[in-house]
Amino acid sequence: MAFHTGSDKLEPLEAAAGRVRDGALVALGGGLSARLPMALVRELIRQGRTGLHVVGSAHSIDVDLLVAAGALAVCEESYVGFEQDLGLAPAYRRAAEGGTIDVRESCCATILAQLRAAELGLPFMAVRGVKGSDIRGLHPEYGEVVCPFTGETLVAVPPLQPDVALIHAPLGDRRGNLHLEQPYVLDERFAAASRNVIATVDRIAGFDEVGRAGITVPGHLVIAVSEVPFGAHPTSCYPGYAYDRPHLAAYVSAATAGGAALTGYLDTFVTGVPDEAGYRKVVGDEALARLGTWSDSTSAWQELYS
Amino acid sequence: MAFHTGSDKLEPLEAAAGRVRDGALVALGGGLSARLPMALVRELIRQGRTGLHVVGSAHSIDVDLLVAAGALAVCEESYVGFEQDLGLAPAYRRAAEGGTIDVRESCCATILAQLRAAELGLPFMAVRGVKGSDIRGLHPEYGEVVCPFTGETLVAVPPLQPDVALIHAPLGDRRGNLHLEQPYVLDERFAAASRNVIATVDRIAGFDEVGRAGITVPGHLVIAVSEVPFGAHPTSCYPGYAYDRPHLAAYVSAATAGGAALTGYLDTFVTGVPDEAGYRKVVGDEALARLGTWSDSTSAWQELYS
Amino acid sequence: MSEATYTIDEWFVVALARTIRDKETVFHGFGSPCAQVAMHLARRTHARDMLLVEGATYAVNPDPPFIPPTGNDVVLQQGAEYRMRFEEFFDAAVRGDVDRMFLSGVQIDAYGSTNVTVVGSIESPKVKLGGGGGGCNLSATVGSLSLWTTRHRAGRTLVEQCSFVTDIGHRTREGTRQELGFTGGGPQWLVTELGVFDYDETGHARLRQMFPDVTIDDVRAVTGFELRVAADVRTVPPPGAAALAALRGIDPLGVRRSEFSPVELARTFHAHTGAACAC
Amino acid sequence: MSEATYTIDEWFVVALARTIRDKETVFHGFGSPCAQVAMHLARRTHARDMLLVEGATYAVNPDPPFIPPTGNDVVLQQGAEYRMRFEEFFDAAVRGDVDRMFLSGVQIDAYGSTNVTVVGSIESPKVKLGGGGGGCNLSATVGSLSLWTTRHRAGRTLVEQCSFVTDIGHRTREGTRQELGFTGGGPQWLVTELGVFDYDETGHARLRQMFPDVTIDDVRAVTGFELRVAADVRTVPPPGAAALAALRGIDPLGVRRSEFSPVELARTFHAHTGAACAC
C-alpha cells in the first residue's frame, strides 16, 4: 500500500517540513530561478535540520541557503549557481572549497537515469556518457555493465530513491493533486521515484479547478501538502509571479560577503521570522505585488529584469 | 537531423500509406476498441501490402483484418481479440493455428521496456518479470544481464525501433502536431521510438487550436499526416465517436465464418471501395452519426452498447 | 430481481470483491467484466479508500454510469480523480506500488500459473487464445493476485499442468517465485463458480468455501489437480442487500454475465433472513 | 548603435550563430546568453527551419519578446510550437536526435574537453565552479558541439590540460570518443573573442579565423596548448546589417554582454562597404 490513498493531506508548513528527518536524502523540485521549494527550505532551516543530502539538476538559492545555514552535508546537484547573471553560489562555493560539505556533483541525465531505475523498479540503469568525464570519479557507487547484445561496456548507475521530494506548485487540492506549469524539470520523476512527496502550493483549490487546470503530480504520490502563498519566492512560480531578481542579487552579495552580512540575511528573512507570513511581511506586499506585473505587458515584464 | 522540421506534412492517405514498405516493422497505435489506425490499415490492404511485422499491446480488428487480407507475416502484439464481449480474433486465430503467420506474442510491459531502450538510446533494457513464463520461449532475441550492484540475473530485452508508427488522432495540424485524448496507450512511446510516425486525424485544424487542445505527439516526430474523418472507425475516437459495436460484431461473425463471408466483408468495406470516402459511404451517414450520440445522455451512450 | 433473490453471477462478483482490502491499489486487465464490476463494488462497499485503477484506461477511481462491453471506453474515465499514462501504471506495478491484480486463465494450475496464450502447443496450437496483455511481468511484481474463473465446472480449466504458462503463479518449472527473484506475493485467492480457494504454505490451491449448491465431490470431479480442502471449509457468505443493490447499479448492462454459461446463469439463490453479511 | 558600427559581443554572437546549419536541432545549456542569442539569431536569418530547443525550458522554436537574465523564465516559452519535458529532451539527445549543442568552459583543452566543475583539485578546490548540468552525458551523444568562450585573452581558459574534465571533447585520458563508444561527433567549432577554431583530423583545435584587431601572436600568447593555424586563416566575416538588426531586436536587455569583460566590450568595429556578409 505504497500509494497515499487518503483524501486530506492538507497540513501546516511546520508539520509538513517536520516530516523531513536530519540526514534525509532530499530531492529539490523546480530548477534555477523557477519553482524552488523555498518555503520548505526556509522552514527546514528554522527547525534546525542538519546533515541533508540533496539531489537534483540545476539549482541556486535553495541549495546555497541550506549550505549557509549549515543544514546540508552532501550535495549531488548537477549545478549550483546563479547563472551568468549573478555568478557562482557563494555559500556553496565557500563550503566546497573549505571542505565543509561533500560535493558529489552529478549530471542531469545521470540523475534522470537513476530516478528512472527507482521509478521502474530496476536495480540499475545503463547510461551512454559519463565515461571519460571526471564526474565519474566523484561517484564510486557507479558500476559497469556489458550489453548482452552488442558487447559494449556502459556505465551502470544504481537507483536513486529520495526519502522525500520537496515540490512547490502554483495550485493543488487537499488530496495532494498538484498542477504545475512547464518546465516541470524533474518534478514528475522525483514524485514517482521518491518514497514521499511533500508539497507546498501558492493556493489550495477544489478538485474540479485543479482537474481542469491539469494534474501534473497525482495526490496518491503526495503525503502532505501545505498552502503557502509565494512559497517559491524569491524564485518564480507562474502564472502567479516572476522571479525576484533584486532579492536574489541582494542575497548573492550578502552571501559573498559572508559573516555578518550573511547572518543578517538569514536573521532577517529566515530564522528571525517565526513563519512564512513573517517572511512575506519582511519582503513586503509591494515587492511581492510587483512580481505579478509580468503579465501586464512585455515592457512591464522586461522592466522586472532591467 | 532525425527530427522532421518541415512545416507542412499534410498529404493524401494514399501517399501516407505508400510510405509503409512490404515487410516493415509497424507499430499500431491505440488499443482494443479505441483509436486504432483503421483508415491506414484499410489503405495498406488496398495497396496490397504484404509481410508486415506488427508490434504493440492489446489490439483487435486492426490486426485481424491485416491477417485476413494476407498482409501480415509476424505478430508481436500482447493480445489480439475482441475481449469477453465478442471473443477470439477469428482470422488471427485461424492463421496462428494453421501456421500461416509467425506468432511472437509479447507482454505490454516488455514491449514498453523495448520501446524505452530505443527512445533512450540504450542497447538493452532489463525487465523484472518474464522469467518462468513460456512467453520467453517465443523470443530467442531476449538475453540476460547480471545487475552489477545486486548480482541478480534479469531478463534483458533489445531495443524495439519500429520502422513506422501508425497513429490516429482526433485532431492535428499540417505540421504534424497531434492532440490525443486519454488513454494514449503506447502512442507517445511509439512516436518517440519509431523511425517515423505516419498519422491520420479526423480533422486538420490550425496550430492555435491544436496547441490549445494540447499537443500529445509533437510534429517533429511526424513525417506525414492525412485528414480522414472517422479514420478510426469501427473503433472509437473521442470526443468524436464511440466504437461501433454492431459493426465489430458483424465483422467477427463474418471472419468466424471465413470464406465467402470474410471475402464479402473485405470486398464491401476495404478492397471493393476505392478510398475512405467510399468506406464511409458504405458504412452510412446514419450509422456514423449514431456513434456521435454518446454525448447526448448516459442512456444514449448506454444504448450504443445494448 | 429482488434483493431477496440473486443469481450466481451476482454472488460470484460479491465473493470476488471480498478479496480486496481497503486502501489497496487494485487493477484488473481488459476483457475482465467480473473483476471490473467486483472492483467498483468493493469501492462502494467495504473498500471505500481503495485506489481503483481501471484496466485499459488506467483511470484512477472513476465512477462510470455503466460498465461497457469494452475495456477502454472513455465512459470508464467518467468522474476519475486522475488518469494514469500506460507507462505510469506499469512502472508503478513493476516497482511494487500496485497491491492487487485480478487475473484469469483458460487454464489455471495448482500453484496459480495461468494460460491465456494457447491450448495445445504453440508450434501447432489447438486453440490460439487472445494473449496475456501485461500479465507475464505484472504477475511477477504486483503485491497479491486474485485469480478467478467462471468455467471451473467444465473440467478443463483447473489443470495439473498448463499447456503454456503465460502468467506466473507460486512456482513454475523454472522454480519458485523467490528463486525467480519476483517481488510480488503471487496468487492469494482463486474464486470459481463453484467455490473459493486460497493457497497453502506450499503455494498450492486449497478449497476454503463452496457455494451451497455445490459439494466437495462436485469440485473434486472437475479439478484437474489434487484437491486440497481446508479443515474449516464452509459456504460462501451470502451477499448483503447493500452489495446486491450496489452491484446492480454498477452494471446495468450485465456485462458480468457474459463470463458465464447459460446453465450457470440459471443458478438462483434466496437470501435467508439473518444470513451473514460480509459486506 | 548604428548598423555601420558594432561591438565585439555582437560580432561574436554572429560568428557563433554561423556554426548552426539549417534544419538542425540545436540546444544550449543554461547560463549561456551568447549561445542563446546566437540560436535565436540563426533561426531568424540563415537557419529558419532549424529546431531550436531553449535550454532549461525545453521550449521548441519559441519567439520570446526578450531574452531574460535567467535561463528558465517562462518568457522563453512565448510563442513556442511545443514544450518538451525534461526527459523528452534528454532522451532525444542521448538517442541522437539532437544535432548540435553549445558548450562553454572555464577551461577548454586542445581536444575540446571542458571544465565547468572545479579549478584546482576536487579534494581541495581553488575555485568550485557551478557544475556541468547535463554536459557529461550530452557531450557524448549530441551530433556536433559548438564550443565558445569570451575569456580567451585572459590566458587561463585554453589550457594544455583541464584540472577537471566535465564534458568530453575528441579525446580524454581514457581514450578517444570511438574508444569510449560515444555516438556523437564531438567539438566542431570553438569561437572565442579572438577568433574561430575548427578541429583537425586528429581532433586538435585549429585557428581558422581571427577578428581584425587580433594577430596570430596575440592568439598564441594566450593559448595554453599548441596553436595550430589553418593555411587559409582569414578574418572573421563581418556581420550583415540584417543580422545586426535581428540580434539587437532579440536581445534588448543585452544579456549577451554579461559574458564579456568591460575591456572587451569597448572593442568597436565599423562596417566596410561591400564587406562580405555571411548572414
Side-chain angles (χ1 to χ4, degrees):
Chain A
M1 312 201 183
F3 283 152
H4 305 295
T5 59
S7 57
D8 190 356
K9 284 88 173 263
L10 187 61
E11 59 185 43
L13 177 65
E14 294 71 10
R19 296 173 175 273
V20 181
R21 299 266 159 274
D22 285 343
L25 179 58
V26 177
L28 294 166
L32 292 173
S33 65
R35 267 196 322 92
L36 301 183
M38 294 307 298
L40 279 160
V41 163
R42 286 185 289 262
E43 181 57 26
L44 288 173
I45 293 171
R46 287 187 200 105
Q47 295 186 11
R49 205 69 74 253
T50 62
L52 299 178
H53 176 168
V54 298
V55 296
S57 51
H59 285 254
S60 63
I61 189 174
D62 49 351
V63 174
D64 207 64
L65 205 57
L66 287 169
V67 172
L72 192 147
V74 183
C75 183
E76 203 168 347
E77 308 284 336
S78 71
Y79 170 89
V80 182
F82 295 83
E83 306 174 78
Q84 199 65 36
D85 186 37
L86 302 175
L88 300 178
Y92 170 74
R93 175 189 168 180
R94 198 179 300 119
E97 293 168 11
T100 60
I101 60 170
D102 181 359
V103 174
R104 301 182 197 163
E105 186 174 309
S106 189
C107 168
C108 297
T110 308
I111 294 273
L112 172 60
Q114 295 186 261
L115 291 169
R116 272 181 164 147
E119 183 174 5
L120 276 58
L122 295 173
F124 76 97
M125 279 284 284
V127 294
R128 269 264 170 234
V130 181
K131 280 192 232 171
S133 168
D134 291 327
I135 293 288
R136 185 179 185 177
L138 307 180
H139 296 275
E141 75 275 18
Y142 293 175
E144 287 190 340
V145 63
V146 176
C147 173
F149 306 117
T150 64
E152 64 193 303
T153 300
L154 298 164
V155 171
V157 293
L160 178 60
Q161 182 180 38
D163 295 317
V164 60
L166 307 182
I167 294 176
H168 181 77
L171 195 68
D173 66 19
R174 293 180 152 266
R175 194 179 278 134
N177 293 309
L178 307 178
H179 166 73
L180 275 58
E181 303 273 319
Q182 282 180 309
Y184 306 139
V185 200
L186 275 170
D187 292 11
E188 292 173 295
R189 305 281 69 76
F190 281 149
S194 299
R195 288 190 175 79
N196 292 306
V197 173
I198 294 174
T200 51
V201 296
D202 288 320
R203 184 168 63 87
I204 286 286
F207 169 74
D208 291 348
E209 182 180 349
V210 178
R212 273 194 308 277
I215 295 171
T216 316
V217 174
H220 58 256
L221 297 175
V222 177
I223 191 169
V225 58
S226 304
E227 183 175 53
V228 185
F230 291 96
H233 184 273
T235 63
S236 66
C237 187
Y238 289 96
Y241 45 99
Y243 83 115
D244 191 337
R245 185 173 175 237
H247 186 108
L248 284 180
Y251 169 77
V252 169
S253 63
T256 304
L262 181 51
T263 312
Y265 178 92
L266 281 166
D267 182 56
T268 305
F269 294 103
V270 187
T271 49
V273 293
D275 53 24
E276 285 297 299
Y279 173 80
R280 292 192 296 275
K281 194 150 177 295
V282 181
V283 174
D285 296 344
E286 198 178 312
L288 294 175
R290 178 170 166 278
L291 302 174
T293 61
W294 69 271
S295 56
D296 296 350
S297 68
T298 295
S299 57
W301 203 348
Q302 198 168 318
E303 185 54 39
L304 291 175
Y305 305 147
S306 302
Chain B
M1 311 202 187
F3 282 151
H4 304 293
T5 60
S7 57
D8 189 358
K9 285 87 172 264
L10 188 61
E11 60 185 43
L13 177 64
E14 293 71 11
R19 295 172 176 272
V20 181
R21 300 266 159 275
D22 284 343
L25 179 58
V26 177
L28 294 165
L32 293 173
S33 65
R35 264 194 328 90
L36 301 183
M38 294 309 299
L40 279 160
V41 163
R42 285 184 291 261
E43 181 56 26
L44 287 172
I45 293 172
R46 288 187 199 104
Q47 295 186 10
R49 205 70 75 252
T50 61
L52 299 179
H53 176 167
V54 297
V55 296
S57 50
H59 285 254
S60 63
I61 189 173
D62 49 351
V63 174
D64 207 63
L65 204 58
L66 287 169
V67 172
L72 193 147
V74 183
C75 184
E76 203 168 345
E77 308 284 337
S78 70
Y79 170 89
V80 181
F82 295 83
E83 306 174 78
Q84 199 65 37
D85 186 37
L86 301 174
L88 299 178
Y92 170 74
R93 175 189 169 179
R94 198 179 300 118
E97 294 168 10
T100 59
I101 61 170
D102 181 0
V103 173
R104 301 182 198 162
E105 186 174 311
S106 189
C107 169
C108 297
T110 308
I111 293 273
L112 172 61
Q114 294 186 263
L115 291 169
R116 273 182 164 147
E119 183 174 5
L120 277 58
L122 295 174
F124 75 97
M125 278 285 283
V127 293
R128 268 264 170 233
V130 181
K131 278 194 237 171
S133 167
D134 291 329
I135 293 287
R136 185 179 185 177
L138 307 180
H139 297 275
E141 74 275 18
Y142 294 175
E144 286 190 341
V145 62
V146 176
C147 174
F149 306 116
T150 64
E152 64 193 303
T153 299
L154 298 166
V155 170
V157 293
L160 178 61
Q161 182 179 39
D163 295 316
V164 60
L166 307 182
I167 295 175
H168 181 78
L171 195 69
D173 66 19
R174 302 179 76 96
R175 194 179 278 136
N177 293 309
L178 308 178
H179 166 74
L180 275 57
E181 303 274 317
Q182 282 180 306
Y184 305 140
V185 199
L186 277 169
D187 292 12
E188 292 173 295
R189 305 281 69 79
F190 281 149
S194 300
R195 288 189 174 79
N196 292 306
V197 173
I198 295 175
T200 51
V201 296
D202 288 321
R203 184 167 64 87
I204 286 286
F207 169 74
D208 291 347
E209 182 180 349
V210 178
R212 272 194 308 276
I215 295 172
T216 317
V217 174
H220 58 255
L221 296 175
V222 177
I223 193 170
V225 59
S226 304
E227 183 174 52
V228 186
F230 290 97
H233 183 274
T235 63
S236 65
C237 186
Y238 289 97
Y241 44 99
Y243 83 115
D244 191 337
R245 185 173 176 236
H247 186 109
L248 285 179
Y251 169 77
V252 169
S253 63
T256 304
L262 180 51
T263 311
Y265 179 92
L266 282 165
D267 183 55
T268 306
F269 294 103
V270 187
T271 50
V273 293
D275 54 22
E276 285 297 300
Y279 173 80
R280 292 191 296 274
K281 193 149 177 297
V282 180
V283 174
D285 296 344
E286 197 179 314
L288 293 175
R290 178 171 166 277
L291 302 174
T293 61
W294 69 271
S295 55
D296 296 350
S297 67
T298 294
S299 56
W301 203 348
Q302 196 168 321
E303 186 53 39
L304 291 176
Y305 305 147
S306 302
Chain C
M1 187 169 290
S2 85
E3 288 178 356
T5 309
Y6 44 87
T7 51
I8 186 64
D9 55 288
E10 297 176 316
W11 197 349
F12 179 89
V13 167
V14 167
L16 206 51
R18 290 181 183 135
T19 67
I20 297 170
R21 290 170 303 178
D22 198 11
K23 293 187 164 31
E24 283 186 332
T25 295
V26 186
F27 177 76
H28 68 79
F30 50 83
S32 308
C34 285
Q36 193 172 19
V37 176
M39 281 168 58
H40 285 282
L41 174 60
R43 182 162 171 260
R44 297 192 198 184
T45 51
H46 70 281
R48 296 180 182 277
D49 288 330
M50 71 185 274
L51 195 124
L52 184 159
V53 183
E54 260 297 340
T57 64
Y58 313 106
V60 173
N61 291 342
D63 289 311
F66 63 91
I67 307 296
T70 181
N72 66 346
D73 194 83
V74 166
V75 73
L76 294 167
Q77 296 182 352
Q78 300 299 298
E81 289 172 10
Y82 180 66
R83 295 172 300 176
M84 290 187 179
R85 283 184 151 83
F86 179 100
E87 52 269 40
E88 201 174 351
F89 167 73
F90 277 95
D91 292 345
V94 170
R95 73 176 177 257
D97 281 346
V98 175
D99 303 303
R100 181 175 306 280
M101 178 178 181
F102 285 86
L103 273 175
S104 187
V106 166
Q107 294 180 325
I108 303 174
D109 73 16
Y111 296 98
S113 288
T114 61
N115 173 18
V116 287
T117 298
V118 62
V119 177
S121 78
I122 191 71
E123 295 72 24
S124 55
K126 184 156 165 295
V127 184
K128 177 63 186 84
L129 306 167
C136 97
N137 282 283
L138 296 179
S139 61
T141 59
V142 167
S144 299
L145 304 176
S146 292
L147 307 182
W148 88 99
T149 177
T150 58
R151 306 289 186 189
H152 187 175
R153 200 188 300 270
R156 297 184 305 272
T157 307
L158 301 200
V159 296
E160 182 62 40
Q161 186 171 38
C162 294
S163 58
F164 185 102
V165 172
T166 309
D167 306 325
I168 301 103
H170 287 291
R171 61 176 58 189
T172 72
R173 287 185 294 280
E174 294 181 37
T176 65
R177 299 180 66 84
Q178 207 159 12
E179 289 162 347
L180 294 169
F182 291 169
T183 51
Q188 184 181 35
W189 299 101
L190 167 61
V191 179
T192 85
E193 81 279 22
L194 303 184
V196 179
F197 296 76
D198 68 355
Y199 290 84
D200 65 23
E201 60 291 333
T202 71
H204 190 291
R206 174 177 56 189
L207 184 65
R208 291 290 304 277
Q209 302 172 5
M210 287 180 296
F211 288 99
D213 58 347
V214 175
T215 68
I216 289 185
D217 289 341
D218 294 337
V219 178
R220 182 175 288 108
V222 294
T223 301
F225 51 76
E226 175 208 345
L227 181 66
R228 296 184 186 176
V229 182
D232 63 344
V233 63
R234 59 177 185 135
T235 302
V236 181
L244 285 171
L247 165 83
R248 292 165 185 174
I250 290 161
D251 184 25
L253 291 177
V255 294
R256 65 189 179 276
R257 298 168 65 85
S258 66
E259 290 199 45
F260 294 85
S261 69
V263 179
E264 297 296 335
L265 288 174
R267 294 168 61 191
T268 304
F269 307 88
H270 305 282
H272 311 297
T273 39
C277 171
C279 293
Chain D
M1 189 171 287
S2 86
E3 289 177 352
T5 309
Y6 44 88
T7 50
I8 186 64
D9 55 288
E10 297 177 316
W11 197 348
F12 179 89
V13 167
V14 167
L16 205 52
R18 290 179 182 136
T19 67
I20 297 170
R21 290 170 302 178
D22 197 11
K23 292 190 164 37
E24 284 187 331
T25 295
V26 186
F27 177 76
H28 69 79
F30 50 83
S32 309
C34 285
Q36 194 172 19
V37 176
M39 282 168 57
H40 285 281
L41 174 60
R43 183 163 170 258
R44 297 191 197 185
T45 52
H46 69 281
R48 295 179 183 278
D49 287 330
M50 70 184 273
L51 194 126
L52 184 158
V53 183
E54 260 297 339
T57 63
Y58 313 105
V60 173
N61 291 341
D63 289 312
F66 63 92
I67 307 296
T70 181
N72 66 346
D73 193 84
V74 166
V75 73
L76 293 167
Q77 297 183 351
Q78 300 300 298
E81 290 173 8
Y82 180 66
R83 294 172 299 176
M84 291 187 178
R85 283 184 151 79
F86 179 98
E87 52 270 40
E88 202 175 351
F89 167 74
F90 277 94
D91 292 345
V94 169
R95 72 176 177 258
D97 281 346
V98 175
D99 303 304
R100 182 173 305 279
M101 178 179 181
F102 286 86
L103 274 175
S104 188
V106 165
Q107 293 180 326
I108 303 174
D109 74 16
Y111 296 97
S113 289
T114 60
N115 173 17
V116 287
T117 299
V118 61
V119 177
S121 77
I122 190 71
E123 294 73 22
S124 55
K126 184 156 164 295
V127 184
K128 178 61 187 82
L129 305 168
C136 96
N137 282 282
L138 296 178
S139 60
T141 59
V142 168
S144 300
L145 304 176
S146 292
L147 307 182
W148 88 99
T149 176
T150 58
R151 307 287 188 195
H152 187 175
R153 199 188 300 269
R156 297 184 305 271
T157 307
L158 301 199
V159 295
E160 181 62 41
Q161 186 172 37
C162 295
S163 58
F164 186 100
V165 172
T166 309
D167 307 326
I168 302 101
H170 287 292
R171 61 176 59 191
T172 72
R173 288 184 294 279
E174 296 182 35
T176 66
R177 299 180 67 83
Q178 208 159 14
E179 291 162 345
L180 294 170
F182 291 167
T183 51
Q188 184 182 34
W189 299 101
L190 166 62
V191 180
T192 85
E193 82 277 23
L194 303 184
V196 178
F197 296 76
D198 68 356
Y199 290 84
D200 66 22
E201 59 291 331
T202 71
H204 190 290
R206 174 176 57 189
L207 185 64
R208 290 291 302 277
Q209 301 173 5
M210 289 179 296
F211 289 99
D213 57 348
V214 175
T215 69
I216 290 185
D217 290 341
D218 294 337
V219 178
R220 184 174 288 107
V222 294
T223 301
F225 51 76
E226 173 207 346
L227 182 65
R228 296 183 186 177
V229 182
D232 63 344
V233 64
R234 59 175 183 134
T235 301
V236 181
L244 285 171
L247 178 153
R248 291 165 184 173
I250 290 161
D251 184 25
L253 291 177
V255 296
R256 65 189 179 276
R257 298 169 65 85
S258 65
E259 291 199 44
F260 294 84
S261 67
V263 178
E264 297 296 335
L265 288 173
R267 293 166 63 190
T268 304
F269 306 88
H270 304 282
H272 310 298
T273 39
C277 171
C279 293

